[in-house]
Protein backbone atom coordinates (compact mmCIF):
# COMPACT_ATOMS: atom_id res chain seq x y z
CA UNK A 1 0.00 0.00 0.00
CA UNK A 2 1.65 3.23 -1.19
CA UNK A 3 1.59 6.36 0.95
CA UNK A 4 0.36 8.49 -1.96
CA UNK A 5 -2.79 7.50 -3.86
CA UNK A 6 -2.98 7.50 -7.66
CA UNK A 7 -5.57 6.03 -10.02
CA UNK A 8 -4.34 2.68 -11.38
CA UNK A 9 -4.97 3.65 -14.99
CA UNK A 10 -6.06 6.43 -17.32
CA UNK A 11 -6.56 6.49 -21.05
CA UNK A 12 -7.16 8.98 -23.82
CA UNK A 13 -6.85 9.29 -27.57
CA UNK A 14 -3.82 10.68 -29.41
CA UNK A 15 -3.80 14.45 -29.42
CA UNK A 16 -6.07 14.68 -26.39
CA UNK A 17 -5.28 15.82 -22.85
CA UNK A 18 -5.14 13.69 -19.71
CA UNK A 19 -4.67 14.43 -16.03
CA UNK A 20 -3.31 12.11 -13.33
CA UNK A 21 -4.07 12.82 -9.69
CA UNK A 22 -1.95 12.14 -6.61
CA UNK A 23 -3.50 12.37 -3.16
CA UNK A 24 -1.68 12.52 0.14
CA UNK A 25 -1.82 14.21 3.52
CA UNK A 26 -0.47 17.18 5.44
CA UNK A 27 2.66 15.23 6.40
CA UNK A 28 3.66 14.73 2.77
CA UNK A 29 2.08 16.61 -0.15
CA UNK A 30 0.49 19.24 2.07
CA UNK A 31 3.83 20.61 3.26
CA UNK A 32 6.34 19.51 0.65
CA UNK A 33 7.09 19.84 -3.05
CA UNK A 34 5.82 17.14 -5.41
CA UNK A 35 7.75 15.47 -8.22
CA UNK A 36 6.51 13.34 -11.11
CA UNK A 37 8.32 10.51 -12.88
CA UNK A 38 7.70 8.70 -16.16
CA UNK A 39 8.65 5.04 -16.44
CA UNK A 40 8.62 3.60 -19.96
CA UNK A 41 8.37 -0.19 -20.18
CA UNK A 42 11.57 -1.90 -19.07
CA UNK A 43 13.37 1.31 -18.12
CA UNK A 44 14.17 3.30 -15.00
CA UNK A 45 11.92 6.15 -13.89
CA UNK A 46 12.72 9.55 -15.41
CA UNK A 47 12.07 12.90 -13.75
CA UNK A 48 9.32 14.87 -15.49
CA UNK A 49 8.30 17.54 -12.97
CA UNK A 50 9.87 18.80 -9.74
CA UNK A 51 8.91 21.41 -7.13
CA UNK A 52 5.25 20.95 -8.13
CA UNK A 53 5.46 22.53 -11.58
CA UNK A 54 9.04 22.86 -12.84
CA UNK A 55 10.34 20.93 -15.81
CA UNK A 56 13.93 19.72 -16.12
CA UNK A 57 15.78 20.65 -19.26
CA UNK A 58 14.57 18.60 -22.22
CA UNK A 59 11.07 17.88 -20.91
CA UNK A 60 8.49 19.33 -23.34
CA UNK A 61 5.92 21.82 -22.13
CA UNK A 62 3.18 19.29 -22.95
CA UNK A 63 3.87 18.06 -19.42
CA UNK A 64 2.71 20.24 -16.52
CA UNK A 65 2.24 19.92 -12.79
CA UNK A 66 0.17 21.60 -10.12
CA UNK A 67 -0.56 21.22 -6.43
CA UNK A 68 -3.45 22.24 -4.23
CA UNK A 69 -3.61 21.38 -0.55
CA UNK A 70 -2.84 17.70 -0.11
CA UNK A 71 -3.26 16.75 -3.79
CA UNK A 72 -1.20 17.17 -6.92
CA UNK A 73 -1.95 16.74 -10.60
CA UNK A 74 0.11 15.89 -13.65
CA UNK A 75 -1.25 17.10 -16.98
CA UNK A 76 -0.22 15.87 -20.40
CA UNK A 77 -1.50 17.58 -23.55
CA UNK A 78 -1.16 16.57 -27.19
CA UNK A 79 -0.92 12.89 -26.25
CA UNK A 80 1.40 10.71 -28.31
CA UNK A 81 1.72 6.93 -28.43
CA UNK A 82 5.21 7.38 -27.03
CA UNK A 83 3.67 8.76 -23.82
CA UNK A 84 2.35 5.32 -22.93
CA UNK A 85 4.08 4.61 -19.64
CA UNK A 86 3.63 4.38 -15.90
CA UNK A 87 3.61 7.72 -14.07
CA UNK A 88 4.54 8.14 -10.41
CA UNK A 89 4.26 11.04 -8.01
CA UNK A 90 6.75 11.46 -5.20
CA UNK A 91 7.48 13.72 -2.28
CA UNK A 92 8.96 13.83 1.18
CA UNK A 93 7.06 12.58 4.19
CA UNK A 94 7.97 14.85 7.10
CA UNK A 95 6.69 12.46 9.77
CA UNK A 96 8.73 9.54 8.42
CA UNK A 97 11.75 11.56 7.27
CA UNK A 98 11.71 9.61 4.05
CA UNK A 99 10.79 9.86 0.40
CA UNK A 100 7.42 8.42 -0.55
CA UNK A 101 5.82 7.55 -3.86
CA UNK A 102 2.41 6.91 -5.32
CA UNK A 103 1.43 3.46 -6.57
CA UNK A 104 1.72 4.55 -10.18
CA UNK A 105 -0.76 5.23 -12.98
CA UNK A 106 -0.63 3.38 -16.28
CA UNK A 107 -1.37 5.70 -19.21
CA UNK A 108 -2.81 4.13 -22.32
CA UNK A 109 -3.00 6.19 -25.50
CA UNK A 110 -5.81 4.59 -27.45
CA UNK B 1 25.75 14.92 -17.96
CA UNK B 2 25.58 12.72 -14.88
CA UNK B 3 25.30 8.98 -15.44
CA UNK B 4 24.97 6.14 -12.94
CA UNK B 5 26.08 2.58 -13.72
CA UNK B 6 24.97 -0.20 -11.41
CA UNK B 7 26.70 -3.52 -10.87
CA UNK B 8 26.15 -6.54 -8.66
CA UNK B 9 24.68 -10.04 -8.61
CA UNK B 10 21.13 -10.73 -9.71
CA UNK B 11 20.63 -13.76 -7.47
CA UNK B 12 21.09 -13.89 -3.70
CA UNK B 13 20.30 -16.76 -1.35
CA UNK B 14 17.94 -16.26 1.58
CA UNK B 15 19.66 -15.06 4.78
CA UNK B 16 22.67 -13.79 2.82
CA UNK B 17 23.71 -10.22 1.99
CA UNK B 18 22.63 -8.29 -1.09
CA UNK B 19 25.43 -6.04 -2.36
CA UNK B 20 25.17 -3.52 -5.21
CA UNK B 21 27.44 -0.73 -6.42
CA UNK B 22 26.61 2.47 -8.29
CA UNK B 23 29.43 4.13 -10.23
CA UNK B 24 29.07 7.86 -10.88
CA UNK B 25 30.29 9.66 -13.99
CA UNK B 26 29.91 13.37 -14.63
CA UNK B 27 29.72 14.26 -10.94
CA UNK B 28 31.39 13.50 -7.64
CA UNK B 29 30.08 11.34 -4.81
CA UNK B 30 31.46 14.11 -2.55
CA UNK B 31 29.40 16.87 -4.22
CA UNK B 32 27.96 18.78 -1.27
CA UNK B 33 24.78 19.64 -3.19
CA UNK B 34 23.76 16.12 -4.16
CA UNK B 35 22.31 13.16 -2.28
CA UNK B 36 22.93 9.59 -3.46
CA UNK B 37 20.06 7.16 -2.94
CA UNK B 38 18.94 3.56 -3.28
CA UNK B 39 15.34 2.84 -4.29
CA UNK B 40 13.68 -0.47 -5.08
CA UNK B 41 10.58 -1.43 -7.03
CA UNK B 42 8.45 -4.54 -6.74
CA UNK B 43 4.87 -5.39 -7.72
CA UNK B 44 3.87 -5.80 -4.06
CA UNK B 45 5.59 -2.71 -2.59
CA UNK B 46 5.79 -0.32 -5.56
CA UNK B 47 8.61 2.22 -5.46
CA UNK B 48 10.27 2.20 -2.05
CA UNK B 49 13.07 4.54 -0.96
CA UNK B 50 15.65 2.58 1.05
CA UNK B 51 18.50 4.84 2.04
CA UNK B 52 20.95 7.58 1.13
CA UNK B 53 24.42 8.96 1.68
CA UNK B 54 25.60 12.55 1.25
CA UNK B 55 28.53 14.82 2.08
CA UNK B 56 28.03 18.10 3.91
CA UNK B 57 31.49 18.76 5.40
CA UNK B 58 31.20 15.21 6.71
CA UNK B 59 29.34 12.09 5.60
CA UNK B 60 25.72 11.45 6.55
CA UNK B 61 23.42 8.45 6.06
CA UNK B 62 19.67 8.03 6.40
CA UNK B 63 17.67 4.83 6.12
CA UNK B 64 14.04 3.81 5.74
CA UNK B 65 12.50 2.48 8.94
CA UNK B 66 11.43 -0.71 7.13
CA UNK B 67 15.04 -1.78 6.50
CA UNK B 68 17.01 0.28 9.03
CA UNK B 69 18.31 -2.72 10.98
CA UNK B 70 19.63 -4.45 7.84
CA UNK B 71 20.92 -1.74 5.49
CA UNK B 72 24.20 0.09 4.93
CA UNK B 73 24.86 2.70 2.23
CA UNK B 74 28.49 3.71 1.88
CA UNK B 75 30.40 6.15 -0.32
CA UNK B 76 33.68 5.17 -1.95
CA UNK B 77 35.53 8.36 -2.83
CA UNK B 78 38.51 6.53 -4.35
CA UNK B 79 36.26 4.98 -7.01
CA UNK B 80 33.62 7.74 -7.13
CA UNK B 81 30.80 5.35 -6.35
CA UNK B 82 28.46 4.33 -3.58
CA UNK B 83 27.14 0.98 -2.46
CA UNK B 84 24.17 -0.79 -0.94
CA UNK B 85 24.36 -3.71 1.46
CA UNK B 86 21.15 -5.35 2.66
CA UNK B 87 21.63 -8.14 5.19
CA UNK B 88 19.53 -11.19 6.03
CA UNK B 89 17.50 -11.05 2.84
CA UNK B 90 14.25 -12.95 2.31
CA UNK B 91 12.14 -13.52 -0.81
CA UNK B 92 10.30 -10.30 0.16
CA UNK B 93 13.45 -8.41 -0.84
CA UNK B 94 13.15 -9.57 -4.45
CA UNK B 95 12.87 -6.38 -6.50
CA UNK B 96 14.47 -4.15 -9.09
CA UNK B 97 16.99 -1.99 -7.25
CA UNK B 98 17.87 1.49 -8.52
CA UNK B 99 20.51 3.96 -7.48
CA UNK B 100 19.54 7.61 -7.94
CA UNK B 101 21.09 11.02 -7.44
CA UNK B 102 19.21 14.13 -6.48
CA UNK B 103 18.44 16.76 -3.87
CA UNK B 104 15.54 17.68 -1.60
CA UNK B 105 13.86 14.33 -2.28
CA UNK B 106 13.88 14.91 -6.04
CA UNK B 107 15.63 12.15 -7.97
CA UNK B 108 17.19 13.77 -11.03
CA UNK B 109 19.23 10.86 -12.35
CA UNK B 110 18.71 7.10 -12.08
CA UNK B 111 20.80 4.02 -12.69
CA UNK B 112 19.65 1.37 -15.13
CA UNK B 113 18.22 -0.89 -12.43
CA UNK B 114 19.24 -4.36 -11.26
CA UNK B 115 16.74 -7.17 -10.80
CA UNK B 116 17.72 -8.99 -7.62
CA UNK B 117 16.01 -12.29 -6.94
CA UNK B 118 16.24 -13.86 -3.49
CA UNK B 119 16.01 -17.60 -3.91
CA UNK B 120 17.84 -20.74 -2.94
Amino acid sequence: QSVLTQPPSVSAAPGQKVTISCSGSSSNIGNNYVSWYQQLPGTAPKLLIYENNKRPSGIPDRFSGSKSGTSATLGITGLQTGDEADYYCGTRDSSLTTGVFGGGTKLTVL
Amino acid sequence: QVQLQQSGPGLVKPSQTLSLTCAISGDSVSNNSVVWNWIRQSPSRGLEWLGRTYYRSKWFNDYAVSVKSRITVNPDTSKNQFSLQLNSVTPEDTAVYYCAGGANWVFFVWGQGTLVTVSS
Side-chain angles (χ1 to χ4, degrees):
Chain A
Q1 191 79 5
S2 299
V3 173
L4 307 178
T5 301
Q6 298 180 234
S9 63
V10 296
S11 61
Q16 297 299 304
K17 174 182 177 178
V18 71
T19 60
I20 297 173
S21 62
C22 176
S23 177
S25 68
S26 59
S27 68
N28 41 66
I29 292 178
N31 285 286
N32 294 285
Y33 287 122
V34 176
S35 304
W36 289 92
Y37 303 86
Q38 177 193 58
Q39 186 173 33
L40 296 169
T43 69
K46 172 185 175 182
L47 179 65
L48 276 183
I49 298 288
Y50 67 101
E51 291 183 6
N52 301 335
N53 55 20
K54 296 179 180 177
R55 284 175 286 105
S57 173
I59 301 301
D61 58 8
R62 299 189 299 108
F63 295 91
S64 64
S66 64
K67 189 186 101 166
S68 178
T70 59
S71 293
T73 301
L74 172 70
I76 311 173
T77 60
L79 278 171
Q80 302 172 3
T81 55
D83 295 332
E84 287 202 332
D86 293 324
Y87 292 85
Y88 295 88
C89 56
T91 187
R92 175 195 180 199
D93 192 297
S94 305
S95 65
L96 301 173
T97 315
T98 184
V100 291
F101 295 95
T105 299
K106 182 176 182 60
L107 169 64
T108 301
V109 181
L110 303 169
Chain B
Q1 181 182 357
V2 182
Q3 291 186 317
L4 304 180
Q5 180 67 39
Q6 299 177 218
S7 60
L11 180 64
V12 182
K13 289 182 167 49
S15 80
Q16 296 193 342
T17 297
L18 181 161
S19 296
L20 296 174
T21 299
C22 183
I24 304 165
S25 58
D27 204 335
S28 169
V29 70
S30 303
N31 185 332
N32 61 13
S33 300
V34 181
V35 177
W36 304 103
N37 305 267
W38 287 98
I39 296 164
R40 68 183 176 183
Q41 184 176 30
S42 65
S44 59
R45 303 170 76 99
L47 283 168
E48 181 184 15
W49 176 83
L50 298 175
R52 62 181 185 172
T53 189
Y54 55 99
Y55 185 75
R56 302 290 185 268
S57 302
K58 67 175 185 175
W59 289 100
F60 293 87
N61 293 297
D62 296 306
Y63 301 122
V65 170
S66 61
V67 295
K68 192 169 187 176
S69 63
R70 301 191 290 131
I71 189 174
T72 304
V73 178
N74 277 330
D76 183 342
T77 56
S78 66
K79 295 181 179 178
N80 200 33
Q81 63 187 29
F82 62 107
S83 64
L84 166 69
Q85 285 196 312
L86 188 64
N87 302 324
S88 305
V89 296
T90 73
E92 287 282 302
D93 295 309
T94 294
V96 177
Y97 286 75
Y98 294 101
C99 58
N104 299 321
W105 299 103
V106 179
F107 307 107
F108 288 100
V109 60
W110 296 65
Q112 79 275 23
T114 301
L115 173 60
V116 179
T117 302
V118 179
S119 174
S120 55

